[in-house]
């Protein structure tokens, strides 16, 4: 198709992937215990990740990025996510959500100011979720009221990835008291987090995913100039957020699939080393059943991923595919992590082995970027819309 995004040169991309695969296995995985102990990625590793361009994969080349298309970006996330989730978490908000929102909807001035900074590794947050609303935009409480040549923002954002140390947040706020059709009451604002009136809650303690941080962003009479309004137009914020969420869902699906592969590889290794009744437990058919079910499910998720990203790069809408892939892959990752614990037996419950960490880490994939239940609603509503459209013409 003529509107296929060519992205990075194919040969250069393959070399980058090979370099990243080595980096994941030789640097990122060996550093995992350190990340867990300190609940953070060491500065030297972060500097290496910036140097490799991992914060600028999707930024256009003229802004200092690699100019990857969706396929290349998601394949890169898949490669990176074989390692613990903190590494994807710190880069992916820049790449998949804030960058795509600015690229798709920003003014030329906003692109020129923010994309080079994001590509260089300034860390971003995406501020949609609130204490009383997540996927429900009608419940959004944060307000942006016109004041002189700008806006005054008030509200609280909750569970915001990277909030404790991000430099900028894309904040969704209400520019109309009434709920308008197509969520026209929601606008998006680029807010540097050192702006007067912004405070951040402390990093929340979580079930898993050590080294990645979430927290509140509290906005109290925060004045931002008019040019902070994304795209310079009110009422486009929710559409921008939803466009970005397709990328976010593809990224979470890819991360789930890669982490399931890591859990399965660990389970295979353990099953061949652990002996019971005088032989490796890998010889037992019920263990083999768990391994083979896991392989088949991972393969199915990989096929879904590659179909969805190919369609995205052809310029097709992938709302359905992104939601279905995220839903299937995140649920599948939970099943594979659970089997990994089961194959380890008693050892699977001990912190000494990786299986229990995989189990805790993978649980969030079924929740963020829209829960499984929200994915079901998104898929069903779109199916019914498509059916109605077909019925009436």
């Amino acid at each position: 198709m003529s509107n296929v995004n060519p992205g990075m040169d194919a040969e250069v991309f393959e070399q980058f992937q090979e370099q990243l695969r080595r980096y994941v296995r030789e640097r990122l995985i060996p550093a995992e215990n350190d990340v867990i102990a300190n609940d953070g990625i060491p500065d030297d590793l972060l500097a290496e990740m910036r140097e490799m361009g991992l914060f600028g994969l999707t930024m256009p080349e003229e802004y200092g990025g690699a100019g990857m298309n969706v396929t290349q970006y998601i394949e890169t996330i898949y490669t990176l996510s074989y390692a613990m989730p903190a590494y994807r978490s710190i880069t992916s908000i820049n790449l998949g959500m804030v960058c795509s929102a600015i690229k798709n909807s920003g003014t030329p001035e906003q692109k020129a100011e923010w994309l080079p900074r994001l590509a260089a590794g300034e860390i971003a947050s995406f501020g949609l979720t609130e204490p009383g609303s997540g996927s429900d935009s009608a419940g959004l409480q944060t307000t942006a009221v016109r004041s002189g040549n700008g806006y005054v923002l008030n509200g609280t954002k909750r569970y915001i990835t990277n909030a404790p140390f991000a430099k900028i947040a894309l904040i969704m706020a209400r520019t109309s008291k009434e709920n308008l059709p197509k969520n026209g009451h929601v606008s998006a604002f680029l807010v540097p987090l050192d702006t007067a009136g912004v405070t951040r809650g402390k990093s929340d303690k979580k079930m898993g995913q050590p080294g990645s941080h979430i927290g509140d962003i509290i906005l109290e009479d925060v004045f931002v100039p008019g040019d902070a309004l994304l795209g310079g137009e009110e009422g486009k914020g929710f559409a921008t957020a939803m466009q970005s969420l397709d990328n976010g869902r593809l990224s979470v699906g890819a991360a789930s699939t890669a982490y399931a592969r890591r859990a399965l590889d660990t389970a295979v290794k353990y099953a061949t080393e652990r002996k019971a009744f005088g032989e490796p437990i890998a010889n037992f058919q019920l263990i083999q059943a768990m391994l083979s079910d896991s392989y088949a499910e991972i393969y199915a998720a990989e096929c879904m991923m590659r179909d969805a990203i190919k369609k995205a790069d052809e310029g097709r809408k992938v709302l359905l595919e992104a939601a279905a892939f995220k839903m299937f892959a995140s649920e599948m990752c939970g099943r594979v992590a659970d089997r990994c614990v089961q194959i380890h037996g008693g050892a699977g419950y001990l912190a000494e082995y990786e299986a229990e960490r995989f189990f805790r880490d993978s649980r969030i994939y079924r929740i963020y970027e829209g829960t499984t239940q929200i994915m079901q609603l998104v898929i069903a509503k779109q199916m019914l819309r498509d059916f109605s459209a077909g019925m009436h013409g």
Side-chain angles (χ1 to χ4, degrees):
M1 291 174 74
S2 59
N3 58 347
V4 171
N5 177 353
M8 218 171 153
D9 175 77
E11 199 176 321
V12 175
F13 175 67
E14 201 34 65
Q15 288 169 349
F16 172 76
Q17 281 286 87
E18 194 44 53
Q19 181 196 6
L20 183 60
R21 272 190 282 272
R22 278 201 313 276
Y23 184 68
V24 164
R25 280 156 179 77
E26 292 168 15
R27 286 288 286 148
L28 297 185
I29 289 174
E32 286 179 348
N33 287 334
D34 199 15
V35 174
I36 293 165
N38 298 302
D39 195 19
I41 300 170
D43 287 343
D44 61 331
L45 268 191
L46 264 183
E48 289 172 11
M49 290 168 72
R50 288 187 173 107
E51 188 66 29
M52 283 182 78
L54 290 176
F55 286 86
L57 303 172
T58 53
M59 317 296 173
E61 288 180 59
E62 64 264 34
Y63 299 112
M68 286 186 182
N69 59 23
V70 177
T71 297
Q72 293 168 338
Y73 162 54
I74 296 298
E75 290 283 4
T76 300
I77 289 293
Y78 179 75
T79 302
L80 179 65
S81 300
Y82 189 80
M84 69 188 307
Y87 300 120
R88 181 198 78 100
S89 192
I90 203 159
T91 58
S92 68
I93 306 296
N94 276 37
L95 296 170
M97 301 182 77
V98 178
C99 166
S100 69
I102 297 172
K103 216 166 52 172
N104 294 337
S105 306
T107 63
E109 294 77 16
Q110 287 166 342
K111 291 176 188 178
E113 180 179 1
W114 288 108
L115 291 178
R117 292 169 66 173
L118 293 170
E122 277 196 21
I123 293 164
S125 283
F126 188 81
L128 175 62
T129 303
E130 297 183 355
S133 73
S135 305
D136 165 27
S137 74
L140 194 85
Q141 298 293 314
T142 298
T143 57
V145 177
R146 278 180 176 279
S147 173
N149 64 349
Y151 293 84
V152 174
L153 275 60
N154 280 285
T156 298
K157 297 296 177 180
R158 178 143 297 168
Y159 310 136
I160 305 302
T161 299
N162 297 338
F165 42 75
K167 295 275 194 217
I168 174 189
L170 187 65
I171 299 286
M172 304 298 145
R174 199 177 252 284
T175 38
S176 164
K177 286 182 180 169
E178 306 302 314
N179 290 334
L180 300 175
K182 296 189 175 174
N183 298 296
H185 54 283
V186 182
S187 301
F189 294 87
L190 289 156
V191 182
L193 292 179
D194 58 0
T195 306
V198 176
T199 51
R200 313 160 196 238
K202 62 182 188 307
S203 185
D204 292 313
K205 287 192 167 154
K206 312 185 303 305
M207 179 191 292
Q209 303 217 354
S212 74
H213 290 266
I214 60 172
D216 289 358
I217 296 176
I218 300 139
L219 306 147
E220 295 172 292
D221 293 331
V222 176
F223 177 79
V224 294
D227 61 12
L229 175 65
L230 187 71
E233 202 179 337
E234 289 185 11
K236 300 287 189 201
F238 200 72
T240 297
M242 289 302 106
Q243 276 180 324
S244 299
L245 281 178
D246 279 349
N247 271 344
R249 286 164 185 169
L250 291 170
S251 175
V252 171
S256 304
T257 307
Y259 213 47
R261 168 90 45 209
R262 169 87 179 273
L264 178 57
D265 288 349
T266 304
V268 170
K269 183 173 184 288
Y270 186 81
T272 55
E273 291 169 356
R274 171 84 166 95
K275 288 191 166 61
F277 309 103
E279 57 182 314
I281 63 170
N283 292 353
F284 302 144
Q285 288 179 331
L286 291 176
I287 298 289
Q288 291 174 0
M290 286 192 276
L291 295 174
S292 58
D293 282 355
S294 299
Y295 179 89
E297 288 194 74
I298 292 167
Y299 180 50
E302 287 172 343
C303 292
M304 291 175 82
M305 176 178 91
R306 290 184 175 127
D307 176 67
I309 59 185
K310 179 173 176 285
K311 286 178 178 169
D313 275 328
E314 288 169 355
R316 290 152 74 176
K317 279 200 167 73
V318 291
L319 177 90
L320 266 174
E321 290 86 345
F325 168 48
K326 191 270 178 188
M327 178 176 81
F328 178 80
S330 60
E331 292 284 343
M332 174 277 290
C333 184
R335 290 191 292 272
V336 173
D338 187 70
R339 292 182 199 123
C340 180
V341 170
Q342 197 69 11
I343 288 165
H344 278 71
Y349 206 69
L350 301 183
E352 182 187 338
Y353 294 83
E354 292 177 327
E356 67 87 34
R357 163 160 64 98
F358 298 154
F359 186 81
R360 287 183 293 105
D361 284 349
S362 60
R363 187 62 186 84
I364 188 66
Y365 289 138
R366 289 179 261 172
I367 295 169
Y368 63 22
E369 307 299 351
T371 62
T372 293
Q373 288 66 37
I374 289 291
M375 293 304 97
Q376 289 170 319
L377 293 179
V378 166
I379 293 163
K381 281 179 179 166
Q382 189 61 45
M383 286 169 64
L384 294 169
R385 270 199 293 269
D386 290 348
F387 180 73
S388 295
M391 289 287 286
H392 297 297

